[in-house]
Amino acid sequence: MPRAPFAPFGLLMAFVLLSGQPARSSDARDSLRHVLDSDATIAERVRAMGRLAMRTAPSDPALALAHASNGVRLAERDGDPLRIHEALDVQRDLQARFGMVTEHVATTLRMVDLARSLGDAQLLGHDLQELSLAYRASDRMEQAIEHARQALAIAAATRNDTARGRAERFLMDALLRAGRHEELSKQIK
């Protein structure tokens, strides 16, 4: 009988512990659904599709990819190259995460073309590094190294020491993984 006062407390704790996380996750999904169903701008909808795709990825990869593809289609209808690039970035991330090597390469090549057309050196350098990673994942080490070199050339042209240092380390990593130790030692010097 002395345990009776603790029963309501125990029930309350069980309710809080069992319902806390799913409620927050559901609230986040509901808020994203609200953005998608409201009079939001195309940019807001594309971002919401991307966030929904990333949140869905751990539990339902196929649905996550569908959300990402819908985001790309929505951005393409809008026609803004930067928005398309943003949507493709989510799709590319999921493709890499799920081991979709061929699709990852194709999406990244498209992103490189978009970055070139936008004239954004930082974006292009990042996409070239992503392309290098995609080629590395498909065991195409020569292409991986070539795109790492291109990313370094772009970083060097920007005269941003931090970006150049990152691009140099990225190239050295590509050389190391390809077993090109002589070139790596030259790069270090």
Side-chain angles (χ1 to χ4, degrees), residues 6 9 27 34-35 45 64 68 74-75 78-79 99 107 123 131 147 158-159:
F6 294 107
F9 177 73
D27 289 346
H34 174 71
V35 169
R45 288 177 184 210
L74 185 60
D78 183 49
T107 299
L123 201 57
L131 186 58
H147 289 91
T158 65
R159 296 196 172 108

Side-chain angles (χ1 to χ4, degrees), residues 107-125:
T107 299
T108 308
L109 283 167
R110 184 171 176 204
M111 292 178 72
V112 166
D113 288 342
L114 278 170
R116 278 195 179 111
S117 72
L118 289 166
D120 187 326
Q122 184 178 355
L123 201 57
L124 180 58

Side-chain angles (χ1 to χ4, degrees), residues 121-123 125-126 129 148 151-171:
Q122 184 178 355
L123 201 57
H126 175 73
Q129 287 180 342
L152 175 57
I154 289 169
T158 65
R159 296 196 172 108
N160 178 331
D161 291 337
T162 304
R164 181 186 173 104
R166 284 187 192 130
E168 285 174 344
R169 285 190 302 279
F170 188 87
L171 174 59

Side-chain angles (χ1 to χ4, degrees), residues 65-76:
L65 287 166
H67 288 317
S69 293
N70 288 336
V72 170
R73 280 193 290 279
L74 185 60
E76 287 170 340

Side-chain angles (χ1 to χ4, degrees), residues 35-50 71 74:
V35 169
L36 294 172
D37 295 338
S38 70
D39 290 334
T41 66
I42 296 289
E44 291 169 332
R45 288 177 184 210
V46 168
R47 280 188 216 105
M49 291 300 298
L74 185 60

